[in-house]
Amino acid sequence: ELKVEQNPLFLSMQEGKNYTIYCNYSTTSDRLYWYRQDPGKSLESLFVLLSNGAVKQEGRLMASLDTKARLSTLHITAAVHDLSATYFCAGIGGSNYKLTFGKGTLLTVNP
Amino acid sequence: GAVVSQHPSRVICKSGTSVKIECRSLDFQATTMFWYRQFPKQSLMLMATSNEGSKATYEQGVEKDKFLINHASLTLSTLTVTSAHPEDSSFYICSVEGAVTGELFFGEGSRLTVL
């Protein structure tokens, strides 16, 4: 069964700073997803990473995947307040081949 | 535009009543849809996989007689919470796998409050 661990679970950062959220997973995962969730809302898809070495960027967010290390990262560059949200990574793999979510990272960007 | 639509977005009901939540795939036919539950400040947990034309597959610990899933067409899956109790209050979200490999689309979610 696939297990997904995110860290940190809580992240408070200043505007303009850079930081990285880490997502480790336990077994082979065919795909790795990153989602954003605002309070009271559903999930917004950010990135889908399908292969080793995949890197995708959108605005101030960049996601990467290292399948050998079983690690995905979400890097935030020059954070702005609008990025405050909860970020989830999720993978598909393991014996049950179902989408498994990490616990989420609550990001707060302070002015 | 939205790919997956859920209805209702919010529902409040009395304990003991049943509530139906609809999930519609708007842009394509979906033989499989997924239902998740999210409690406050927690992650999403898969409840069941809805299969068009056949029985849903439930995750361990999810009561199939309490959470009835019907996937009668390629664009509609419904989740009925039967005899709802306050502990069933949660955010229910459906998702659909897109036509292109790797895409997953989520509905807007349905917030259930059981009094």
Side-chain angles (χ1 to χ4, degrees):
Chain A
E1 184 181 326
L2 177 66
K3 294 189 189 307
V4 179
E5 285 192 12
Q6 272 182 252
N7 71 86
L9 299 183
F10 300 94
L11 177 56
S12 179
M13 55 192 299
Q14 295 294 116
E15 278 193 326
K17 299 292 186 183
N18 305 332
Y19 210 84
T20 300
I21 300 171
Y22 297 89
C23 179
N24 291 91
Y25 52 96
S26 60
T27 66
T28 302
S29 177
D30 286 357
R31 313 169 211 164
L32 201 292
Y33 300 83
W34 284 97
Y35 294 96
R36 168 181 173 146
Q37 186 178 38
D38 291 299
K41 304 290 187 182
S42 186
L43 300 183
E44 174 190 350
S45 179
L46 296 176
F47 303 106
V48 181
L49 303 168
L50 299 176
S51 60
N52 186 43
V55 177
K56 292 193 175 180
Q57 183 164 4
E58 182 73 34
R60 300 175 188 274
L61 301 178
M62 183 174 71
S64 66
L65 179 62
D66 181 343
T67 57
K68 293 179 181 178
R70 295 179 183 162
L71 170 68
S72 180
T73 61
L74 180 66
H75 187 73
I76 303 153
T77 302
V80 293
H81 180 68
D82 285 352
L83 289 179
S84 298
T86 299
Y87 293 85
F88 291 97
C89 65
I92 288 184
S95 57
N96 60 3
Y97 206 73
K98 298 208 169 86
L99 186 64
T100 302
F101 284 85
K103 291 186 176 181
T105 298
L106 176 59
L107 171 66
T108 305
V109 181
N110 303 303
Chain B
V3 176
V4 182
S5 175
Q6 264 184 260
H7 179 80
S9 58
R10 290 180 183 274
V11 57
I12 300 173
C13 70
K14 292 183 179 179
S15 187
T17 60
S18 295
V19 174
K20 181 187 285 188
I21 301 169
E22 294 185 347
C23 178
R24 293 183 183 275
S25 175
L26 300 179
D27 286 358
F28 50 86
Q29 296 177 334
T31 55
T32 303
M33 295 186 182
F34 304 93
W35 286 97
Y36 295 85
R37 180 168 53 183
Q38 185 181 33
F39 291 110
K41 300 190 186 303
Q42 293 189 24
S43 187
L44 278 75
M45 296 298 293
L46 179 65
M47 297 176 66
T49 302
S50 172
N51 305 300
E52 189 269 335
S54 65
K55 292 182 180 180
T57 305
Y58 290 83
E59 295 302 300
Q60 193 172 10
V62 178
E63 299 175 58
K64 62 180 181 180
D65 295 329
K66 181 168 184 62
F67 298 99
L68 301 179
I69 291 173
N70 184 277
H71 195 149
S73 77
L74 288 170
T75 58
L76 174 64
S77 175
T78 60
L79 168 67
T80 302
V81 183
T82 62
S83 187
H85 291 285
E87 56 265 31
D88 298 324
S89 299
S90 188
F91 194 44
Y92 293 87
I93 311 175
C94 68
S95 80
V96 172
E97 186 162 358
V100 176
T101 299
E103 291 180 307
L104 280 175
F105 300 98
F106 285 82
E108 308 96 322
S110 300
R111 187 165 304 281
L112 171 64
T113 303
V114 184
L115 302 177

